[in-house]
Each structure stands twice: as C-alpha cells, then as structure tokens.
Amino acid sequence: MAKRELFRLYQRIPRGLSTAVLPKCNVSPKEYCGPGIEKLNKLKSENISVVVKDFYRKPLVIHQGHMQWLFDHEGKRYLDLFAGIVTVSVGHCHPTVTAALHQQIDTLWHTTSIYKHPKIYEYVEKLSAKFPGDLKVVYLVNSGSEANDLAILLARAYTGNHDVISLQSCYHGYASSLLGLTATQAYRYPMAAPSGFYHAMLPDPLRGIWGGCRDSFSQVPGACSCPGDCVTSDKYIHQLNELLENSVPKGRIAAFFAETIQGVNGAVQFPKGYLRKARELVKNYGGLYVADEVQTGFGRTGDNFWGFQDHGIQPDIVTLAKGIGNGFPLAAVVTTKEVADAHQKASYFNTFGGNPLAASVGKAVLDVIEEENIQQNSKIVGKYFIEQLMELQKSYPVIGDVRGKGLMLGVELVRPGTKDPLDVERVADILEMSKDLGVMIGRGGRWNNVLRIKPPMCINKEDVDFAISIMDKVFKVFHEKN
C-alpha cells in the first residue's frame, strides 16, 4: 500500500508510552515535496541568524495545518496547543478565512492608506463595533510591536508627557524603541534602553510578596478568597504609587501599559481589582491606560471579547495583533477620537497597514468568531481544560501552579515541594516527550518553566482529553525518572 494511502488509514503515534487515541480529523496531509531535513539544517546554518533557535531538540518540519491540527513533513499529526505563539485564533487554514483571502487576492493585493478601499472601511466598522464607549478610532498596522510603538507615540502626543510605566516581566514587543517598555530579561540587550521607561512591581499571586487571589477557577494553594477586590491589590497599588511619587516627574506620566493577562510571562494574572485601581491612579497623575490585548483579545478569555472587560475597566488605547488575523500579518491600535486628534501634530501614513488582503482576512476572522460561537467555546472548553489540569496538579507535585482563564492557560513547573522553578533542561524533557506523543505545547515565564497552553480557539473537549492523557503519561515518566 502506498505511503499516502497509509496516512489516510492510520495516524502514527510513537510506540511505548502512549495508548491515547488521537481524535479524528477529516483532512489528510498532502505529500511533502520540499527539501529534506539535512538540506533545511544546512540552509538554516548558512542563511538564518544563529539567534533564531529551534524550539525542540529534534526540530519539527511543519508542512500543513488544519484547524487545531498540524502535520509534519512525514505526515504525522499533532494537536497544536500553542497556536503559533497565540496567533492562530479560529483555526489553521479555516475555510471561511481562506476563502476570503482567495477572493481578495484575485481582485487587488495592495493599495496604501492614502487611497480609499472598501475592505478597509468594512473591516474597521466591524472591528470598532466590538469596543465599548468611545473607543472607535482604528489604526491598522502590521504587528504587535508596531502597534505598541504607535500607542506610545499617541500617549505622548496627547498628554505632552514622556514617561511610561509597564510591569515587571512584561512583554510588549521587540522593536528597538520598545526595549525599555518590555521588562522580560531574556529580551533585554546589554545596551542602554530608550529613556523614560519604568517598571512597576509585578502583582503576582504565586511569587509576589503579598500573594493574592485572581479571576480564575484555579488559585495558588493557600491564597485568600476575597469575594470582590483582592485585599492584596492595595499593597501592590501602594508600590505603584511609590514609583510614581519617587521616580517619575510629578504629574508627567504619559501612559501605563499592561497586558490583561501576561502572555510571554506564562499566563500571570493579577490580584482582583489591581488593574482597575492602577488605571485610576495613573489617570490621577495625568497618564493614559494602554491595554495590550495582543494575546488576550478576540474572546480568548471566554467571558468577554476583550481581556480588559474582565477587569471592569475601559482603556484609553488598546493594542491588538496575533489572533486578529489568524496568522496573517495584521495588527491594530484602537483609541478615542480625542486621543487620535493629538496625532495631527505631524503627518502619518502606513504603507501596508490595512491593505486589502489583511482587511479581508481580519473581517473574515470576526465573522467566524461570531458565527461559530468561538468566544463561548473558549469559555466552556477552557473551563473544562483548567479543571483537568487542576486534577493533574493533585497527582504531580512538579505542577506548582495552574492558572488562566478561557483558553489562555499556564502550568508552572517547580521543583517538587518548593516554589523553585524547574530547571530548563527538565522542562525541555517534558516538552520534547509531549511533542513526540503528538501534543505541541508552548513555554514561557521568567525562568522558562511555564507550559503555555493557548490553542486555536476551535479545540473541543475530546482534544482536551487527548492532551490531558498525554500530559498524564509524560508527568508520570518524569516523576519515575526524577
């Protein structure tokens, strides 16, 4: 029987540990006809910077994708729990989004923002309708870094102030202008960062000095259980106030940036009430609140379309990227007319921002989220997923914390019996074994010890059961060996 036909009948799962049944998929992979692994390795070593690392020890060659599934060059299928770093929102090669792109690509690829094109206006009308209040002015750009860079410019232009505060361990982009805004050590170069950036104490319920309770089904062991705002939020707010009083020129703050759940730092949530109080404090000092929804937006947290709505607040500026285009290069900044009007102090245009292809894709993504109840799926499946992860935590002390909301989840791995982060080699063992058994998981956190679970939002409970069965086997082997 031909290899192609075998793949249609049997999806291979590595022998040995796994007896889990891979959920069905109605798509068979196309035959791979690209370069072999040796040629790819050679090209990488010669033509791609060494700073671009492979995620796995035995790298994957990804050939094809369908919804929550990825196929390698040999036809093996994997459940994707990382979604191209939280970027594939409604599913790999979703047919509705693919059809919209095909239709537009045969009509017109590119104009710039200096011309009118109906797709741009159709899209911004639909996108702005998703925002509350007067958040109605949309800038279309190309990446999260570009969106956050523009948000800084808008905040400074509107307030006339320069200084910007973000939280420790945050990630807001990799552009040189953002090296001061991002406070993740792994992404900071040993050189002077742009001036005017400060980092407030991270209000972390697991590792923060005052702990706290968060908006999640899962809490840190021994955490408080406040019915409303967490009692620790005022203590962290006091530290933010001390920063404003002692390090920033009085009344000269331009903006406070915060993700509504930290993404790269491993789904860190803040004590309940913190973000609302932080916004109020910063506003009193003359600054704006910028909500970074690059990873948390578009229904991923389940209860609301935007993560900031989970905190009961309205930002002055919102930045969007990643899931906005389901993998197509697209990002946005959404703000008020009052803030946007301050941008007229100089000219502005964006060559590729809002091009017809990106706008068509963005609109199709919003259509799918509505028509297929993607937000509700994130809520229901996400609750089920975190409950199953909490059950695993009871059996395996290497799981120090389970957290998150909707399909924005994190599993922090520790040395059993401590809060000390599990060393990166052991974490790599866990990720490698999970991949070999058919499940791709991301990682992050300050010490790279957090499993980041942010799948395409089309996954279902059967997929969760498969993932949990694989993780159960992997953790069992880990504990037997360690």
Side-chain angles (χ1 to χ4, degrees):
M1 183 177 290
K3 185 177 182 182
R4 175 90 168 96
E5 295 175 308
L6 279 172
F7 285 142
R8 290 177 178 171
L9 297 174
Y10 178 63
Q11 288 292 341
R12 296 176 300 162
I13 302 174
R15 296 180 181 178
L17 291 174
S18 181
T19 57
V21 177
L22 192 66
K24 293 181 180 179
C25 174
N26 59 6
V27 168
S28 298
K30 299 175 183 177
E31 185 176 357
Y32 176 73
C33 300
I37 188 68
E38 290 184 3
K39 177 66 178 296
L40 292 174
N41 288 339
K42 184 174 185 293
L43 290 170
K44 184 176 187 301
S45 67
E46 293 178 353
N47 302 115
I48 295 178
S49 170
V50 294
V51 77
V52 180
K53 307 291 186 183
D54 289 317
F55 190 77
Y56 293 112
R57 291 167 179 157
K58 183 181 178 183
L60 285 175
V61 179
I62 299 299
H63 167 51
Q64 188 175 342
H66 174 71
M67 301 306 284
Q68 62 270 49
W69 302 104
L70 289 172
F71 299 86
D72 70 12
H73 67 301
E74 295 179 336
K76 180 183 169 184
R77 178 158 54 99
Y78 301 82
L79 178 62
D80 181 9
L81 294 186
F82 201 26
I85 314 182
V86 207
T87 300
V88 177
S89 50
V90 298
H92 293 281
C93 300
H94 190 289
T96 299
V97 181
T98 302
L101 179 59
H102 274 291
Q103 183 178 14
Q104 186 58 47
I105 208 168
D106 290 332
T107 305
L108 180 67
W109 283 33
H110 178 70
T111 62
T112 74
S113 58
I114 64 175
Y115 303 118
K116 283 184 169 58
H117 186 275
K119 289 298 180 184
I120 297 172
Y121 298 98
E122 292 171 8
Y123 178 50
V124 297
E125 179 183 36
K126 193 172 186 66
L127 179 62
S128 63
K130 291 292 186 183
F131 284 87
D134 54 357
L135 287 166
K136 297 301 178 187
V137 178
V138 179
Y139 293 82
L140 295 178
V141 293
N142 306 287
S143 71
S145 293
E146 189 179 346
N148 282 329
D149 182 79
L150 177 57
I152 292 173
L153 186 151
L154 290 173
R156 286 173 170 167
Y158 176 75
T159 64
N161 301 334
H162 181 71
D163 293 338
V164 176
I165 294 176
S166 57
L167 293 171
Q168 293 170 344
S169 298
C170 69
Y171 181 86
H172 294 292
Y174 201 55
S176 59
S177 60
L178 301 176
L179 290 181
L181 184 65
T182 288
T184 300
Q185 193 66 26
Y187 296 99
R188 292 185 68 95
Y189 273 80
M191 60 182 65
S195 65
F197 292 98
Y198 303 84
H199 305 124
M201 177 184 286
L202 177 63
D204 182 353
L206 177 66
R207 298 189 179 279
I209 58 176
W210 295 296
C213 55
R214 58 202 176 200
D215 180 21
S216 176
F217 290 107
S218 178
Q219 301 293 333
V220 174
C224 48
S225 54
C226 307
D229 288 351
C230 178
V231 295
T232 71
S233 62
D234 285 336
K235 298 178 181 180
Y236 293 109
I237 290 296
H238 175 72
Q239 291 299 307
L240 175 59
N241 188 65
E242 288 292 290
L243 179 64
L244 286 162
E245 284 287 333
N246 293 287
S247 299
V248 179
K250 188 97 171 181
R252 300 296 292 170
I253 184 73
F256 171 70
F257 270 72
E259 304 160 87
T260 48
I261 298 176
Q262 285 191 330
V264 171
N265 197 31
V268 170
Q269 296 174 276
F270 315 129
K272 292 180 294 184
Y274 174 82
L275 270 188
R276 190 188 74 254
K277 294 173 183 177
R279 176 191 178 275
E280 292 169 358
L281 179 60
V282 169
K283 295 288 281 186
N284 289 338
Y285 277 80
L288 303 183
Y289 167 50
V290 182
D292 183 327
E293 294 280 342
V294 168
Q295 296 191 31
T296 49
F298 297 91
R300 181 165 287 279
T301 60
D303 283 338
N304 292 290
F305 204 80
W306 308 113
F308 65 79
Q309 293 172 306
D310 295 338
H311 298 266
I313 54 178
Q314 182 164 322
D316 301 288
I317 302 173
V318 184
T319 59
L320 314 170
K322 291 187 179 286
I324 189 174
N326 199 47
F328 195 93
L330 175 63
V333 177
V334 182
T335 188
T336 66
K337 187 177 187 303
E338 185 180 10
V339 171
D341 283 349
H343 199 193
Q344 298 181 82
K345 296 173 183 178
S347 296
Y348 172 82
F349 78 99
N350 191 303
T351 301
F352 295 106
N355 66 77
L357 299 181
S360 298
V361 167
K363 183 175 181 295
V365 169
L366 290 177
D367 290 339
V368 170
I369 291 173
E370 292 175 359
E371 294 165 5
E372 299 183 7
N373 297 315
I374 292 294
Q375 180 184 327
Q376 183 70 2
N377 190 66
S378 289
K379 180 176 181 176
I380 293 171
V381 177
K383 179 177 183 292
Y384 181 70
F385 209 149
I386 200 169
E387 288 172 342
Q388 304 311 305
L389 290 169
M390 290 165 67
E391 287 300 311
L392 280 184
Q393 185 180 18
K394 294 176 183 178
S395 300
Y396 301 109
V398 70
I399 301 177
D401 192 28
V402 172
R403 55 183 178 250
K405 190 170 184 181
L407 289 173
M408 182 86 179
L409 306 176
V411 177
E412 181 145 357
L413 304 180
V414 298
R415 291 171 54 198
T418 76
K419 285 187 181 181
D420 298 338
L422 189 67
D423 67 89
V424 292
E425 287 302 310
R426 297 291 184 273
V427 177
D429 290 341
I430 289 168
L431 289 170
E432 196 77 16
M433 196 182 309
S434 299
K435 176 261 294 181
D436 289 343
L437 296 174
V439 177
M440 297 169 59
I441 304 172
R443 74 171 169 182
R446 180 177 175 183
W447 296 279
N448 244 340
N449 66 316
V450 182
L451 304 184
R452 297 176 63 194
I453 299 174
K454 288 101 175 180
M457 295 184 287
C458 57
I459 69 164
N460 56 48
K461 290 184 177 180
E462 186 181 11
D463 301 325
V464 173
D465 289 340
F466 173 69
I468 291 294
S469 69
I470 295 301
M471 294 174 75
D472 184 28
K473 295 173 187 300
V474 169
F475 284 126
K476 182 177 180 180
V477 170
F478 174 84
H479 276 279
E480 288 174 350
K481 288 184 176 180
N482 295 276

